[in-house]
Amino acid sequence: MVFDADAQVGGELLLIGGEPSEFCVEWAVEAYDVVAEVHESTLVSQVKSGAEQAGRPDLYAEWRRFVTTQPVLGAAEFLSAKNRFLTVPQWATWIDESYEPVPPATTSGGQVAVCGLCDQWMTPTSGGGWHCETPRCVRALHMPSPTLRDAEGAYRLRPELVRSVALPGRPELALAQALAARGARVVLYPGLDALDLVARWPDGYAVGVDVKDWHKPYLLARKIKRFPRWETGHPFAYGDAFLVVPADRVARNRSYCDIVRRRSAALRSQPHIEVLTDQALISRCPDAGQPGEVVCGP
Ligand SMILES: [Zn+2]
């Protein structure tokens, strides 16, 4: 399907400045669920099953955290990243398949830019500046200066992983760090991504959290899964369960959490799961007075 600039359907923008809008991407995932998800998640599935077979499910979480926080790698950093887990040779393959040489067309003056707002790589504009395609950055009124990296021999995260892993991963990692700052020990992606995180405080209180960063609450409502139950004593056991939405989504639509609750069959069958913003969860959680940590395994 080809649309002219800023095409609309049902009052929603499908393209903004020639790029698919968030609504367009979410609608495409919803409408072409199987094809889109199978295509984009081939590498994710490969890492998940490879980590499980190697008896190192923590490496799945390590991989997600790494690609979410490292959009551009210099030649030496790329080599060092590949050699990080020498006892699990698949790790080097996963890094190889996650990154690609920085395309010359995306460099300017021998450099590649990393966005100061979303930490993803940017593309040069004809006017000599840099443009970030991340939806939040397209909407942002003020953009901080990008960080410029030497493009010679550098690698960048593949575009499909920016969209399907790194951008969704940002609010997950930000929440993990905020809960760790309040003293929790936070395990990322426990049970091979059965949840986004489990945070446990020294007094034993523990929460299980899935973070969902969707533009449209009624599309999100159809994608909510069952939360896992881990028995008392299991390293990932938790008491309270939360489905967390980034606060800026709710600021733009005050009914967001209500719509998710009302429209989700999964939430009706799991009434113990509370829907709230990341800021609301952070302020409700205990503060142990000294920092905890964010880890990838039990
Ligand atoms: Zn950006």
Side-chain angles (χ1 to χ4, degrees), residues 164-180:
S164 63
V165 177
L167 288 176
R170 286 180 53 77
E172 297 160 1
L173 294 186
L175 178 62
Q177 280 154 6
L179 297 179

Side-chain angles (χ1 to χ4, degrees), residues 212-252:
K212 293 292 184 191
D213 187 18
W214 283 59
H215 178 54
K216 285 293 172 190
Y218 55 86
L219 294 180
L220 161 60
R222 299 192 218 172
K223 303 296 290 182
I224 295 167
K225 61 188 180 187
R226 289 206 72 78
F227 274 39
R229 287 182 181 277
W230 287 302
E231 299 299 324
T232 306
H234 188 284
F236 304 144
Y238 58 89
D240 294 339
F242 298 100
L243 188 106
V244 166
V245 176
D248 64 337
R249 299 290 187 193
V250 177
R252 288 158 56 90

